[in-house]
Amino acid sequence: MLIDGKKISDDIKREIAQTVESMLAQGKKRPHLAAVLVGHDGGSETYVAHKIKACEQCGFKSTLVRFESDVTEQQLLDTIDKLNNDNDIDGFIVQLPLPRHISEQKIIEAIDYRKDVDGFHPINVGRMSIGLPCFVSATPAGIMELLARYNISTKGARCVVLGRSNIVGKPMATLMMQKHNPGDATVTVCHSATKDIKKICAEADIVIAALGQPGFVTEDMIKPGATVIDVGTTRVPDSTRKSGFRLSGDVDFANVEPKCSWITPVPGGVGPMTIVSLMKNTLHAACHDIYPE
Ligand code: GUN
């Protein structure tokens, strides 16, 4: 059966918009998210446009700060300093990847962790890993929300995470193993150096694929009745599309879907949940309910 991330994300956006209405009725300010976008990478342009549109749908104010790809690291650090000190901005993100002459880690660490709605700052990552309130990075948070809303049992489940990125794989593994529901799973993280990856996957009750390799997860890697979460969003050339490409997941959907109990489509699965999790984090930032003033 299909996990409908688009529908769940629309439901959550409506819930957020209602909360914003009641905040405004109480005389509170409108939540405000800023996004910093460097250069013109097609994927980043699309993601940021979706984030700005989601802000409108949730009743948030949004600000886009753009730079060409020759921006210096110091110019970006100065911008972050301004955003950190701007009392109207509740949270902000710097869209990744950044040009190679800029240290992503230096940029991430310059962000005030109380405004780090991406959950990339080491303080948020560290707090998440020991189960303290924090901003959780959006893709793993969105996947946890899908598992919760579809009542997918995770306690004691064998969960395989494919990929070990700081943005998805590592936080995903941390959340799935935490003593919580959803969570409480027995987690294995597989990556480029893993041996017997097919065999490990075939024992899993839940497979979360976040490698960025179209069609990597094939039907022989999936146990009958397993849940499959596809985080892949690789652009592959497609001359039948106006854009010239389509998004491809990490899962061979056509052959895997008949075998599993639950599966996320691409697009319309994890992607919309990532955006809505960022909106939820922005609402938390505006309400100061993770980090009280
Ligand atoms: N690049 C890919 N995913 C993300 C994300 O969630 N946040 C930011 N800032 N950049 C990204």
Side-chain angles (χ1 to χ4, degrees):
M1 298 242 280
L2 220 54
I3 297 178
D4 191 345
K6 174 76 174 67
K7 182 196 169 289
I8 301 288
S9 70
D10 286 342
D11 291 347
I12 297 174
K13 278 187 274 192
R14 272 192 295 274
E15 292 164 19
I16 295 174
Q18 279 171 9
T19 307
V20 171
E21 283 307 309
S22 59
M23 286 167 68
L24 296 177
Q26 290 166 29
K28 295 187 180 146
K29 75 180 255 315
R30 196 178 278 285
H32 186 178
L33 174 72
V36 179
L37 175 58
V38 178
H40 298 274
D41 172 75
S44 294
E45 291 266 7
T46 307
Y47 291 136
V48 169
H50 284 152
K51 290 170 186 179
I52 303 269
K53 183 167 170 227
C55 282
E56 278 166 35
Q57 293 168 326
C58 292
F60 296 174
K61 192 174 164 187
S62 64
T63 297
L64 174 59
V65 185
R66 292 199 74 125
F67 291 99
E68 292 303 322
S69 45
D70 60 358
V71 67
T72 64
E73 192 173 82
Q74 193 55 49
Q75 281 173 301
L76 271 190
L77 291 170
D78 291 345
T79 301
I80 289 169
D81 192 48
K82 280 205 193 88
L83 294 169
N84 282 341
N85 290 298
D86 182 337
N87 286 333
D88 195 59
I89 305 268
D90 298 297
F92 65 97
I93 64 155
V94 178
Q95 187 66 29
L96 305 178
L98 292 171
R100 282 174 47 183
H101 66 278
I102 296 169
S103 158
E104 285 188 353
Q105 202 52 34
K106 202 164 168 185
I107 295 300
I108 288 168
E109 291 186 31
I111 298 171
D112 184 331
Y113 68 93
R114 295 164 300 184
K115 293 193 177 190
D116 169 39
V117 284
D118 258 333
F120 292 169
H121 191 285
I123 291 182
N124 283 310
V125 177
R127 288 177 65 92
M128 181 191 61
S129 79
I130 55 173
L132 294 176
C134 62
F135 293 114
V136 176
S137 63
T139 300
I143 293 169
M144 296 307 275
E145 184 88 43
L146 285 178
L147 295 172
R149 293 204 180 214
Y150 278 84
N151 259 317
I152 292 167
S153 171
T154 60
K155 187 172 183 173
R158 288 189 175 204
C159 174
V160 166
V161 177
L162 299 174
R164 55 177 158 184
S165 70
N166 289 343
I167 293 181
V168 184
K170 281 183 202 153
M172 197 67 240
T174 303
L175 292 173
M176 286 301 283
M177 75 166 96
Q178 73 185 341
K179 204 171 177 66
H180 194 265
N181 181 33
D184 254 344
T186 302
V187 181
T188 304
V189 180
C190 298
H191 45 75
S192 52
T194 301
K195 289 179 183 149
D196 293 331
I197 203 161
K198 281 183 185 266
K199 187 164 159 273
I200 294 168
C201 278
E203 289 176 356
D205 303 299
I206 302 169
V207 174
I208 302 172
L211 313 118
Q213 288 191 40
F216 182 90
V217 178
T218 46
E219 160 271 325
D220 56 318
M221 295 165 72
I222 297 299
K223 184 165 87 173
T227 293
V228 179
I229 307 290
D230 191 348
V231 188
T233 51
T234 308
R235 287 180 166 200
V236 297
D238 184 342
S239 57
T240 69
R241 303 287 175 100
K242 210 167 66 184
S243 61
F245 68 86
R246 68 188 149 81
L247 289 185
S248 174
D250 288 346
V251 177
D252 173 8
F253 184 90
N255 294 309
V256 168
E257 190 269 339
K259 212 172 168 186
C260 53
S261 60
W262 293 103
I263 187 165
T264 59
V266 176
V270 173
M273 291 304 295
T274 296
I275 307 272
V276 91
S277 298
L278 175 66
M279 299 299 119
K280 276 183 104 171
N281 279 348
T282 304
L283 186 63
H284 284 308
C287 296
H288 301 280
D289 51 9
I290 292 173
Y291 299 116
E293 283 167 294

